[in-house]
Amino acid sequence: MENLRTYSKTNGLDFSKINLIEINTEGYTLYQIAKTISTGKEYIKINEISDEDLM
């Protein structure tokens, strides 16, 4: 994944501009966690975050 500073805005990240092609499972999980925290909308569930196979 490219440097996230490229996608930063004053109030957070511009998730629509982040390219997820070739991202691994751990990277995608972290992306969904960041998106959930940033937007307040649940994109990933707590049980998925605690899944050792994902993290």
Side-chain angles (χ1 to χ4, degrees):
M1 184 184 285
E2 295 178 41
N3 189 327
L4 286 179
R5 281 183 256 173
T6 305
Y7 308 105
S8 63
K9 301 185 303 186
T10 305
N11 59 344
L13 295 173
D14 188 351
F15 290 97
S16 67
K17 294 188 178 183
I18 297 175
N19 184 351
L20 298 177
I21 295 174
E22 297 183 21
I23 193 170
N24 63 22
T25 303
E26 184 176 291
Y28 186 73
T29 302
L30 293 173
Y31 166 84
Q32 293 296 359
I33 292 169
K35 193 171 178 182
T36 296
I37 292 169
S38 178
T39 65
K41 184 175 179 183
E42 188 177 63
Y43 289 94
I44 189 166
K45 301 205 180 295
I46 296 294
N47 65 331
E48 293 173 321
I49 295 169
S50 64
D51 186 338
E52 289 184 23
D53 293 331
L54 289 177
M55 300 302 289

